[in-house]
Amino acid sequence: GQQLNQSPQSMFIQEGEDVSMNCTSSSIFNTWLWYKQDPGEGPVLLIALYKAGELTSNGRLTAQFGITRKDSFLNISASIPSDVGIYFCAGPQRNAGNMLTFGGGTRLMVKP
Amino acid sequence: ETGVTQSPTHLIKTRGQQVTLRCSSQSGHNTVSWYQQALGQGPQFIFQYYREEENGRGNFPPRFSGLQFPNYSSELNVNALELDDSALYLCASSLETDRQYFGPGTRLTVT
């Protein structure tokens, strides 16, 4: 089946720094979703992208839908301690009830 | 808060037993999807229910089964539990779109 590869697997940054992470696939996706998961909680939807080249922001978060439709990027500006968590990209497979395929996640740690 | 609730929060079962997990979808949502998340991994799709019918299934054996009720709430049943079934089980609700909203999950431990 389709697989999503996220990088980096983990990041340890200083508070106030900007963060970049990406997600790549060997297959084309028509939608990209970015979720954040805190320990012991379910994933929370951050941003949804629907069009190649689209750039969408949600506060300090900005995500882009890659032109090839095989990748997506998430940037966090001026990180704060509450940004700590695991960030997942996900893409729906329309031939299987819009089931979401998830990447392995990027674990973000922020040092105050 | 997504409005998606799951019960119970935690559960401990013995190998070979059966378990039922429950999910209440967000108001107005007619689609519920279930995912299994092993420690350190991304969620894996189990199946989806749309208007009380199974609408897609991932690579899980038949001992994983489900139901959706007229009010769109849902159950996940797992028979003959195995140690590898220990995981966080997540349900997500949606309204015929790609945007799926997750509940807090049920942590299942099989001993």
Side-chain angles (χ1 to χ4, degrees):
Chain A
Q2 293 172 310
Q3 285 191 318
L4 298 181
N5 299 304
Q6 285 189 247
S7 64
Q9 285 188 310
S10 63
M11 305 178 72
F12 191 29
I13 63 169
Q14 193 77 33
E15 182 178 358
E17 288 184 351
D18 296 343
V19 173
S20 290
M21 61 188 77
N22 68 68
C23 183
T24 60
S25 170
S26 57
S27 305
I28 287 173
F29 279 90
N30 293 315
T31 299
W32 286 95
L33 305 172
W34 283 93
Y35 286 87
K36 177 181 182 242
Q37 186 173 29
D38 292 329
E41 303 287 331
V44 174
L45 182 62
L46 300 173
I47 292 179
L49 301 160
Y50 296 101
K51 187 177 175 183
E54 179 183 353
L55 195 68
T56 297
S57 293
N58 177 6
R60 293 178 296 105
L61 277 62
T62 301
Q64 184 164 22
F65 194 139
I67 291 293
T68 65
R69 294 197 285 159
K70 291 184 178 181
D71 55 10
S72 180
F73 308 90
L74 177 68
N75 297 310
I76 305 173
S77 62
S79 58
I80 59 178
S82 63
D83 290 334
V84 165
I86 303 177
Y87 292 80
F88 290 101
C89 62
Q93 294 189 41
R94 303 211 184 281
N95 62 347
N98 277 340
M99 62 169 274
L100 294 180
T101 296
F102 281 82
T106 292
R107 181 181 295 274
L108 178 64
M109 293 160 280
V110 179
K111 184 178 179 182
Chain B
E1 289 289 331
T2 63
V4 180
T5 61
Q6 292 187 244
S7 64
T9 307
H10 296 91
L11 203 53
I12 299 175
K13 288 286 190 177
T14 303
R15 191 170 45 184
Q17 286 187 317
Q18 177 266 342
V19 69
T20 297
L21 310 181
R22 295 178 175 83
C23 171
S24 291
S25 58
Q26 188 176 120
S27 178
H29 284 185
N30 56 15
T31 303
V32 172
S33 304
W34 285 92
Y35 293 81
Q36 180 195 67
Q37 186 176 26
L39 205 59
Q41 297 182 22
Q44 297 288 318
F45 176 75
I46 303 174
F47 43 56
Q48 182 182 85
Y49 279 84
Y50 169 66
R51 293 184 177 179
E52 303 178 60
E53 298 287 332
E54 187 177 291
N55 187 44
R57 190 178 183 91
N59 190 26
F60 280 81
R63 59 190 185 84
F64 285 77
S65 63
L67 281 174
Q68 187 179 32
F69 300 99
N71 65 355
Y72 302 132
S73 66
S74 178
E75 285 182 356
L76 164 65
N77 298 292
V78 187
N79 294 321
L81 283 166
E82 301 176 359
L83 296 179
D84 285 348
D85 295 334
S86 294
L88 181 68
Y89 288 85
L90 297 162
C91 81
S93 77
S94 56
L95 180 60
E96 300 176 25
T97 70
D98 301 327
R99 296 183 182 225
Q100 297 185 18
Y101 298 89
F102 285 83
T106 294
R107 171 70 62 188
L108 173 65
T109 302
V110 182
T111 62

